Amino acid sequence: MPRGWPLCGWSWCLLCLLLPPPAWADDNQVAAEASGVIAEIRFEGNDTTKEVVLRQELTVAPGDPVSRERIEESRQAIMNLGLFKRVRARVEPLGEAPGEGDQIVVFDVSEKWYVLPLPKFDQDADGDYAYGFELTWENFLGYNQRLELLHETTERDDGNKEVKREFAYDIPRIPRTDLGLSLFLRRTDSTPLIEDAVLGDGVYDLQRDSFGWTASRWLTRSGPSRGWRGSVGNDIFKDNYEYQQGVEGLVIDRKIVETWLGAAYHAVYEHPWHREGYEYGWTFAVSSHEFGSDDGYQRLDLFHRGYSHPVFWGNDNLNTQVRLGYGRGYDDEVHAYSIGSSKTLRGYERQPDLRGDVLALVNLEYLKPILGYRSLRGALFADIGNVYDTDAVDLTELEVGGGLGLRWKIRALVRTDLRVDIAWGRDQEDYEIYVGTKQAF
């Protein structure tokens, strides 16, 4: 039986039937050439988005000479925010003589649908079913900020019930500054069965609380939100157990305090139907008893993502991701990395032998429009990699998964691509089906 359907899979399929069909035309553009000096910059169509969000992405300003290249760079920077279905730019004369003297630059945007409430329901092949509600509010209050709320209940076949509540808020860039901020709160309540081959089994109530924040800074205060960005953050995870029945003393409360810092270079360009460019970076995380953590470990992560759109391929895309990671100080029960999911190694379930403290992973995706519809694409993908113990790294021992999929870019919604994948893993007995609303990477 196939596995891996996400909790909101059927809800998204129903939603997409109600949305408009894929469009054909690419209506982003910059108007014809003009000369003179920019006297004023105006915005049209931004009924929700605040003007300050748009202005801080510009590379032109009043008093600059009119330059088609720089106007196009500014238009693309606004498009890269991901908030608009299309962005147009045009130059209009301030006086009566067209194309000469002082000019007005107008950026005309078409806004997306920013508020998305979504019921969630699913049942998998193992007999587990889940239900709940998710609210995503993109471009919150018009400032390109994101608010997410989630309430989800999972009823497992073994009788365990899990209830998860989550709040997340993200500010990619605080207006008129080069700073960003994000935070999340999460609580999960469950009643797991703790098994011990020697002492026996026991049932406990588990309350798992998580909290984290991230502060970031762009190295360029004005102009497009791209280039180098530095980040620092802190995450706290607490597990509190309360004995219910069976054998007592099988588990103890646990607290993890993790502090991390990193840097990334971002040069990805958003187009109506595809992404183009690249990004890469690193993150170093540390957990220490001195910070109040029950564990002490260090972890280094490196990544590179590329999105290619060669002209000679028409509207095809080749997307790649490389991830490398190394962890030290983890105990035998907790590892730095786990693979086997829709975003790591497709075709594999998460399982104990796919956990380790060293990670090597490559993801490849080739996307091609179906019957000329650029918003609807077929996907051919392969995932290659493995996890290892720190003293047993062998890059010749690799797991390989691959398969076929569909991608539907829903232009009316922010950063939403309906994704359906069917994947096979080498030496795996069954295939996996994944449905999601975001790209794999």
Side-chain angles (χ1 to χ4, degrees):
M1 294 289 292
R3 300 177 294 273
W5 284 84
L7 303 180
C8 59
W10 297 113
S11 302
W12 270 105
C13 291
L14 178 61
L15 174 64
C16 291
L17 292 176
L18 304 177
L19 292 173
W24 291 82
D26 184 350
D27 49 8
N28 287 313
Q29 64 180 27
V30 177
E33 291 281 2
S35 60
V37 176
I38 299 175
E40 184 181 352
I41 297 176
R42 297 177 183 173
F43 300 95
E44 296 178 354
N46 56 316
D47 298 328
T48 298
T49 309
K50 303 298 184 182
E51 189 171 301
V52 63
V53 174
L54 305 176
R55 286 195 180 276
Q56 68 184 6
E57 299 299 316
L58 300 180
T59 62
V60 293
D64 292 346
V66 174
S67 168
R68 180 183 178 88
E69 290 74 18
R70 293 184 63 188
I71 293 174
E72 165 57 22
E73 184 179 36
S74 297
R75 187 205 64 78
Q76 182 61 56
I78 295 174
M79 187 69 182
N80 290 343
L81 293 173
L83 303 177
F84 310 108
K85 291 180 285 187
R86 60 113 179 109
V87 180
R88 293 173 176 166
R90 66 179 187 272
V91 180
E92 299 177 347
L94 184 61
E96 298 181 357
E100 299 179 0
D102 291 344
Q103 305 290 327
I104 301 173
V105 177
V106 180
F107 294 95
D108 181 17
V109 303
S110 176
E111 296 189 316
K112 294 184 178 183
W113 184 6
Y114 297 130
V115 183
L116 183 62
L118 189 67
K120 306 180 72 175
F121 177 80
D122 186 49
Q123 182 172 7
D124 64 20
D126 297 324
D128 302 339
Y129 65 93
Y131 52 90
F133 180 82
E134 181 179 33
L135 172 67
T136 302
W137 190 337
E138 301 278 0
N139 201 16
F140 184 64
L141 301 180
Y143 285 104
N144 188 27
Q145 300 169 11
R146 183 185 306 114
L147 171 67
E148 294 179 287
L149 300 173
L150 171 68
H151 189 284
E152 177 182 287
T153 301
T154 302
E155 304 274 1
R156 303 199 181 280
D157 186 52
D158 59 7
N160 184 20
K161 180 179 179 180
E162 181 179 285
V163 180
K164 180 168 67 175
R165 297 167 292 274
E166 184 172 339
F167 165 85
Y169 196 83
D170 180 44
I171 309 174
R173 190 168 184 173
I174 299 173
R176 299 185 181 90
T177 76
D178 52 5
L179 304 176
L181 182 67
S182 65
L183 61 88
F184 75 89
L185 295 166
R186 184 185 306 120
R187 169 167 288 183
T188 303
D189 296 306
S190 62
T191 309
L193 173 67
I194 307 300
E195 299 177 310
D196 190 293
V198 177
L199 299 177
D201 302 338
V203 177
Y204 295 76
D205 283 341
L206 169 61
Q207 179 179 288
R208 175 168 293 168
D209 292 323
S210 308
F211 166 75
W213 61 268
T214 300
S216 60
R217 181 180 185 275
W218 293 96
L219 297 188
T220 54
R221 181 168 182 174
S222 61
S225 297
R226 64 173 183 261
W228 281 103
R229 185 182 190 184
S231 302
V232 62
N234 182 253
D235 299 328
I236 301 175
F237 309 94
K238 295 178 64 176
D239 287 351
N240 296 311
Y241 291 91
E242 183 175 336
Y243 168 77
Q244 293 297 314
Q245 63 182 26
V247 178
E248 294 188 66
L250 295 180
V251 289
I252 61 174
D253 294 347
R254 186 185 186 96
K255 179 181 179 181
I256 304 298
V257 180
E258 180 179 290
T259 302
W260 58 270
L261 59 88
Y265 186 85
H266 181 80
V268 178
Y269 298 86
E270 295 285 341
H271 299 289
W273 317 109
H274 68 278
R275 292 170 293 173
E276 190 172 7
Y278 59 91
E279 57 186 353
Y280 55 86
W282 59 270
T283 302
F284 178 72
V286 59
S287 178
S288 172
H289 301 290
E290 298 178 354
F291 299 156
S293 180
D294 293 332
D295 284 357
Y297 60 80
Q298 304 86 42
R299 187 181 68 251
L300 176 65
D301 293 284
L302 309 173
F303 76 90
H304 183 282
R305 288 186 282 266
Y307 308 97
S308 302
H309 183 65
V311 176
F312 55 84
W313 282 5
N315 292 308
D316 298 5
N317 261 87
L318 177 63
N319 301 333
T320 62
Q321 176 177 243
V322 178
R323 291 180 56 196
L324 301 173
Y326 177 82
R328 186 179 67 175
Y330 289 85
D331 60 34
D332 294 335
E333 299 297 327
V334 180
H335 294 282
Y337 305 102
S338 174
I339 58 175
S341 69
S342 64
K343 292 189 176 181
T344 55
L345 190 64
R346 285 164 285 191
Y348 291 78
E349 288 187 300
R350 292 186 182 273
Q351 45 193 288
D353 59 347
L354 291 179
R355 299 175 183 172
D357 295 333
V358 179
L359 168 70
L361 182 66
V362 176
N363 306 106
L364 306 170
E365 286 195 343
Y366 175 69
L367 307 178
K368 186 176 184 61
I370 297 178
L371 300 177
Y373 284 82
R374 287 177 291 178
S375 59
L376 182 63
R377 300 185 176 206
L380 177 67
F381 60 84
D383 302 328
I384 306 166
N386 210 339
V387 289
Y388 312 90
D389 294 331
T390 55
D391 58 351
V393 178
D394 185 355
L395 295 180
T396 64
E397 295 183 2
L398 297 172
E399 303 292 348
V400 179
L404 305 171
L406 288 174
R407 306 287 186 270
W408 184 1
K409 188 171 185 63
I410 305 175
R411 293 184 68 192
L413 302 177
V414 177
R415 287 177 281 271
T416 301
D417 294 78
L418 184 64
R419 176 167 64 99
V420 181
D421 289 336
I422 179 169
W424 293 264
R426 186 177 62 181
D427 301 328
Q428 298 297 296
E429 296 181 356
D430 212 339
Y431 59 91
E432 304 285 336
I433 293 179
Y434 308 99
V435 177
T437 60
K438 305 294 180 184
Q439 293 287 0
F441 56 90

